[in-house]
Amino acid sequence: AGEPSMFAKCTAEFVGTFLLVLTVGCNVLGGSGVWAGVSIACVLMVAIYALGGISGANFNPAVSVTLGISQSMGGPGLDWQTVGIYSAVQSLAGVAAALCYSGLFGESFNLAPAKGFSWHQAGACELLYTFMLCFVVLNVAAAKKNVQEKNQYYGLAIGFVIIAGAYGAGAVSGGCFNPAVALGIDVSSAGLGFGWCGPYI
């Protein structure tokens, strides 16, 4: 089979990001509580396995930019044009999914640090766990050795990062680790105050 077209890649990125953000919103508004982190990690993992062969399954502008930096440094990754296209599609998918869960539940929620925590603390948590996510992606899905050996654990490893982050930092920042998630939540809750996604992006 030949290389998938850019349309196919963008469709895969849209679908995967849409499913991720929709699952985040449904868990929050549905009051899933303790299992929310596992649910979100699971949808990311299955989307990675289902769509990774088409687009690489970024579903996150931070991951796409990381892969752009990797290629610029001589490693595997994405060219900057693809990074820009992917990031735009992911952001659009995040907004579309957030509007869908808001319509489904008839309400939305704002993005903000948990009570008792500052923007600096939430931003630090987001920075650290987004770094961990991108670091794991580079090492399990983009590292030359693992690409050559065609390992099959990359989706599971990336999913576990989300579980670690959701329970580790979720109580402080809410646990986005993804600008497309943050932007989608912020746009859908514009009536509650827009512009809060800055520290999360």
Side-chain angles (χ1 to χ4, degrees):
E3 177 78 9
S5 68
M6 181 55 74
F7 179 77
K9 292 178 179 180
C10 288
T11 301
E13 286 297 308
F14 186 94
V15 170
T17 309
F18 183 94
L19 291 173
L20 174 62
V21 177
L22 183 69
T23 303
V24 169
C26 288
N27 272 285
V28 172
L29 293 175
S32 297
V34 72
W35 290 106
V38 175
S39 171
I40 295 163
C42 284
V43 77
L44 177 61
M45 180 183 69
V46 298
I48 287 171
Y49 282 123
L51 301 168
I54 300 172
S55 68
N58 292 193
F59 312 144
N60 185 335
V63 170
S64 296
V65 169
T66 299
L67 292 172
I69 295 170
S70 173
Q71 188 176 85
S72 295
M73 296 175 67
L78 301 172
D79 61 84
W80 286 110
Q81 180 181 8
T82 302
V83 170
I85 294 170
Y86 275 18
S87 296
V89 169
Q90 292 154 2
S91 298
L92 181 63
V95 171
L99 294 175
C100 282
Y101 71 64
S102 295
L104 179 66
F105 283 89
E107 61 178 320
S108 60
F109 59 95
N110 216 338
L111 187 63
K115 187 176 180 180
F117 294 97
S118 70
W119 288 108
H120 297 90
Q121 292 167 318
C125 286
E126 290 293 314
L127 178 66
L128 290 170
Y129 279 97
T130 302
F131 167 81
M132 185 168 82
L133 173 61
C134 293
F135 179 76
V136 170
V137 168
L138 284 177
N139 281 282
V140 302
K144 292 178 181 177
K145 178 178 182 292
N146 288 327
V147 170
Q148 291 167 355
E149 293 179 357
K150 299 185 184 299
N151 77 77
Q152 295 299 311
Y153 61 81
Y154 60 94
L156 188 61
I158 295 166
F160 273 119
V161 173
I162 301 304
I163 291 177
Y167 295 116
V172 178
S173 68
C176 286
F177 322 130
N178 185 333
V181 173
L183 182 64
I185 292 172
D186 209 14
V187 170
S188 70
S189 64
L192 303 175
F194 184 76
W196 301 111
C197 66
Y200 290 77
I201 293 178

